[in-house]
Amino acid sequence: MPAWLAPILQSYGADLLRSAVLVLVLLLVHASIVRTIAANPQVPVDTRRRWAINVRNAMIIIGLAGFVIIWARELQTIALSMVAFAAALVVATKELLMCLGGGLVRSITNSYELGDIIEIGGMRGRVQDITMLGTTLIEIGPRHDSHQLTGKAVTFPNSLLLTQSVVRENFTGDFVMHIVNVPLPYSVRPARAERLLQEIAADVCAPWLDDARRHMAMLEHKLLMDTPSVEPRIALQPTSEKEYRLIVRIALPPRERQRAEQAILRRFLFACFPEDSQHPQADTD
């Protein structure tokens, strides 16, 4: 045994042994729980991933608490003799502490969870992973009005939660409100265009309209909040002397946004501008 190792083992051997046992036990418990969660096919994948992340974070917190308890005497001695160093350390680890504070704020306010679609600081995507220091998003874009996954992962520090507002797009859960903007020239008569868009939106949303109505009624009763009507609504907005805008609001499951939007736009635009006509069909009213 090296000469320098003997005094370390003599002074801190018991604490080192307790620390090693703690790490081993936590690793075994974590592996066992994660294996049990993964082996349950009846639970949705997102739910199992959320459980696994919560277990991992809980093991880390327990491990840190255990180390503090095991090394309390040594930490106390160091703290009493290094007050100035501790103050400097706080300044040096300001960003780290802000990340931990942001994670605490997220947990207390429940601003978002795994699988939510959020936007913060110009970043927008589906929450893929949450740790005590940062959050990973699977980017949705490339523009704000797009709802397709780009395949890119974006990680931001939780310190942003202390200075930036978080937009949670699927706050209402299984059904969300979605806006589709359709700019049109005045050659397409607004009255007919509005009726046509209303019919198409109602037809596309018909498969889930009853479920959406029941879901919003449940939220209104459970959360005591005013919920919007799930019926497709059309708003007319002049934008210039050459064109106007139809704005349709629909209720739908979050994963159906891209498909439903494209279905509505394709059917509406193909009806207004048929390939075999030189003029918009809506102008023949």
Side-chain angles (χ1 to χ4, degrees):
M1 179 183 299
W4 58 268
L5 185 59
I8 296 178
L9 293 178
Q10 182 178 0
S11 301
Y12 305 109
D15 291 338
L16 290 172
L17 179 60
R18 295 190 191 98
S19 300
V21 171
L22 175 63
V23 171
L24 180 61
V25 170
L26 289 177
L27 289 176
L28 292 176
V29 172
H30 175 265
S32 176
I33 295 176
V34 170
R35 190 180 300 110
T36 302
I37 293 173
N40 191 349
Q42 297 179 350
V43 180
V45 175
D46 287 344
T47 302
R48 281 183 281 170
R49 188 185 301 120
R50 186 182 302 111
W51 289 353
I53 290 175
N54 290 338
V55 169
R56 180 194 63 192
N57 293 339
M59 292 297 105
I60 293 175
I61 293 174
I62 293 174
L64 291 176
F67 282 130
V68 170
I69 295 173
I70 293 173
W71 296 90
R73 184 177 57 187
E74 288 74 13
L75 292 175
Q76 183 179 11
T77 302
I78 294 174
L80 291 175
S81 59
M82 302 184 65
V83 175
F85 175 78
L89 184 63
V90 169
V91 175
T93 59
K94 176 183 176 181
E95 186 65 26
L96 177 63
L97 296 176
M98 290 181 64
C99 289
L100 294 174
L104 181 61
V105 169
R106 185 207 68 82
S107 299
I108 294 175
T109 62
N110 195 29
S111 54
Y112 60 83
E113 296 179 351
L114 195 69
D116 285 343
I117 298 174
I118 66 171
E119 181 178 357
I120 178 173
M123 297 171 286
R124 177 169 173 259
R126 186 185 303 278
V127 179
Q128 179 69 17
D129 192 12
I130 303 172
T131 67
M132 293 184 297
L133 301 180
T135 299
T136 300
L137 305 179
I138 300 300
E139 186 183 49
I140 296 177
R143 299 184 309 275
H144 187 273
D145 58 351
S146 178
H147 307 286
Q148 301 187 76
L149 297 176
T150 64
K152 299 178 181 178
V154 181
T155 301
F156 65 86
N158 287 340
S159 58
L160 285 183
L161 299 175
L162 301 176
T163 58
Q164 300 282 342
S165 299
V166 178
V167 178
R168 184 177 176 183
E169 296 187 11
N170 58 333
F171 174 73
T172 51
D174 294 340
F175 292 90
V176 298
M177 308 307 298
H178 181 57
I179 303 296
V180 181
N181 292 284
V182 187
L184 292 169
Y186 279 105
S187 58
V188 181
R189 295 184 179 179
R192 185 181 187 279
E194 183 179 16
R195 291 196 302 270
L196 179 60
L197 185 58
Q198 181 77 42
E199 294 172 0
I200 293 174
D203 184 58
V204 170
C205 296
W208 54 74
L209 201 59
D210 290 337
D211 291 336
R213 191 178 293 110
R214 286 191 293 268
H215 179 76
M216 291 299 178
M218 181 271 294
L219 286 182
E220 186 171 353
H221 174 74
K222 181 179 180 181
L223 302 180
L224 300 178
M225 59 179 288
D226 293 330
T227 56
S229 171
V230 299
E231 306 295 335
R233 296 287 180 88
I234 307 292
L236 179 64
Q237 183 182 73
T239 57
S240 69
E241 68 279 1
K242 295 183 179 180
E243 69 175 24
Y244 63 95
R245 188 185 305 272
L246 289 178
I247 305 172
V248 56
R249 189 194 70 187
I250 56 178
L252 73 175
R255 295 182 181 274
E256 293 290 333
R257 288 189 299 181
Q258 178 72 13
R259 188 195 67 79
E261 178 179 303
Q262 287 299 307
I264 292 173
L265 290 176
R266 289 175 183 275
R267 290 176 55 179
F268 176 73
L269 295 178
F270 290 172
C272 287
F273 305 95
E275 293 184 2
D276 56 351
S277 175
Q278 297 297 322
H279 303 284
Q281 182 174 334
D283 199 30
T284 62
D285 224 16

